[in-house]
Amino acid sequence: MTASAMDVIAPQQRALEALYRTHVGPGDRYALLDFPDHANVGDSAIWLGEVTLLRRITGRDPDHVATWDGFDMEAFRADSPEGVVFLHGGGNLGDIWPHHQRFRDRIVRDLRDRRVVQLPQSIHFRDAAGIAAFGDTLARHPDFHLCVRDEPSLLLAQAHWSCPVTLAPDSAFALGPQPRGTADFDVLMLLRTDQEGVPHEATVRADAGDAAIVDWLVDDDLPTRAAGESLASHYQRLADARVARGLTLLSRGRRIVTDRLHAHILAVLLGIPHRALDNEYGKLSAYIAAWTAASPLLEPAAPR
């Protein structure tokens, strides 16, 4: 990893460390909710960054972990009678992925006796009514803290919601530089096949040739939960497996073209030259403008 590449990575790592330390310190208890039990590698990279930071700072595992659809309030209260409740970061604050937003609403509504910290997110609502509705929920919580990954999200939150808002990097940067595997394609195009994707036909034609066009929404050969294994340990192994798959896939390209934010982030950590295209609402260009524009690995972000 070159010094100039580390000049982009290291400030984000320092900012993340400072952010997390405002909420927990050595020995503090905490919970981490909304584990991303799905194939999107980016969300697993975020989770691994989150637990890396929280374990390093507190010296302990989370008291309770849960998926959005596996959360049980009674079990949570038994495992985690005190401490900060962290909500997994990412790009699902809004109405594109409504099941995550409904879970967030529930936690903010039902855990008013605890500090709740939303780890760095990008915000996007297609329907402005959702902005006001979430604002009403936040207004009734006395100790909710929101972290956002880009300036458009920061401005939206500051304009509409009455809670502390902090601009912070994506937690996946806590993973640091990663070893790069062997490339077998001149260009690897990792393009979204979900509802955040937009057509990139002209770009695909221009970058054709010896190219592979893929997405990383595949879940194969995942570890099963061992007898007696804690849920936190099992989730760690699932996230490790998914991120390892993503790193191997990205390493196959001597150069990458992508409209996935975490393909950009992991390409920075792997040291792979790449071009970043935007998703439906400009998530990549907004993050790049805030944090990674100086990367020597990055070609100019293309407009939508």
Side-chain angles (χ1 to χ4, degrees):
M1 187 66 62
T2 65
S4 55
M6 281 305 300
D7 286 345
V8 172
I9 296 170
Q12 295 184 80
Q13 294 179 313
R14 290 193 295 269
L16 285 167
E17 184 92 13
L19 169 70
Y20 281 62
R21 287 187 182 278
T22 63
H23 299 292
V24 287
D28 286 350
R29 302 180 68 168
Y30 65 95
L32 180 59
L33 306 182
D34 201 12
F35 173 73
D37 195 11
H38 52 74
N40 187 345
V41 171
D43 284 307
S44 287
I46 297 170
W47 181 271
L48 292 182
E50 291 164 348
V51 296
T52 295
L53 283 162
L54 288 167
R55 285 172 177 150
R56 183 164 71 233
I57 292 167
T58 67
R60 58 185 299 150
D61 287 343
D63 288 334
H64 191 82
V65 294
T67 58
W68 68 270
D69 56 347
F71 180 76
D72 178 86
M73 183 62 76
E74 185 176 348
F76 163 76
R77 292 285 190 188
D79 291 344
S80 180
E82 62 181 16
V84 178
V85 177
F86 290 98
L87 291 172
H88 174 60
N92 58 40
L93 204 167
D95 52 16
I96 296 180
W97 307 101
H99 47 290
H100 292 287
Q101 185 62 27
R102 286 192 293 268
F103 178 64
R104 184 177 296 108
D105 287 339
R106 176 188 176 189
I107 293 302
V108 176
R109 183 185 65 245
D110 294 349
L111 294 181
R112 295 182 193 171
D113 59 324
R114 303 282 284 273
R115 172 169 291 193
V116 176
V117 178
Q118 172 59 72
L119 293 170
Q121 278 273 350
S122 299
I123 302 171
H124 184 69
F125 286 87
R126 292 168 174 164
D127 183 352
I131 300 174
F134 189 48
D136 290 342
T137 302
L138 295 180
R140 292 189 287 273
H141 196 289
D143 199 11
F144 178 84
H145 297 255
L146 173 63
C147 308
V148 297
R149 303 186 295 196
D150 55 65
E151 187 172 359
S153 297
L154 178 69
L155 294 175
L156 184 152
Q158 289 176 331
H160 295 282
W161 299 334
S162 58
C163 63
V165 187
T166 303
L167 180 66
D170 186 272
S171 295
F173 272 98
L175 300 178
Q178 298 294 307
R180 181 176 176 179
T182 302
D184 56 357
F185 290 100
D186 287 339
V187 180
L188 182 84
M189 297 182 182
L190 198 153
L191 301 175
R192 300 192 79 112
T193 54
D194 60 17
Q195 59 181 312
E196 288 189 40
V198 294
H200 299 298
E201 287 89 350
T203 301
V204 170
R205 285 196 300 271
D207 283 303
D210 181 19
I213 302 175
V214 299
D215 199 358
W216 55 23
L217 299 183
V218 178
D219 255 351
D220 292 327
D221 300 321
L222 290 174
T224 58
R225 188 176 180 184
E229 182 181 24
S230 71
L231 199 55
S233 174
H234 178 56
Y235 285 169
Q236 171 90 34
R237 292 198 300 125
L238 286 176
D240 281 337
R242 287 165 173 147
V243 171
R245 172 172 56 80
L247 293 171
T248 298
L249 178 61
L250 290 173
S251 292
R252 297 187 67 185
R254 296 179 183 89
R255 175 173 168 267
I256 294 167
V257 177
T258 190
D259 58 1
R260 284 197 174 276
L261 176 58
H262 283 86
H264 159 59
I265 289 173
L266 293 179
V268 171
L269 297 180
L270 285 163
I272 302 175
H274 59 284
R275 181 180 180 188
L277 314 173
D278 254 325
N279 73 328
E280 178 203 0
Y281 61 91
K283 180 165 62 178
L284 279 80
S285 58
Y287 190 87
I288 289 166
W291 301 105
T292 55
S295 173
L297 300 164
L298 180 64
E299 299 176 16
R304 289 175 54 195

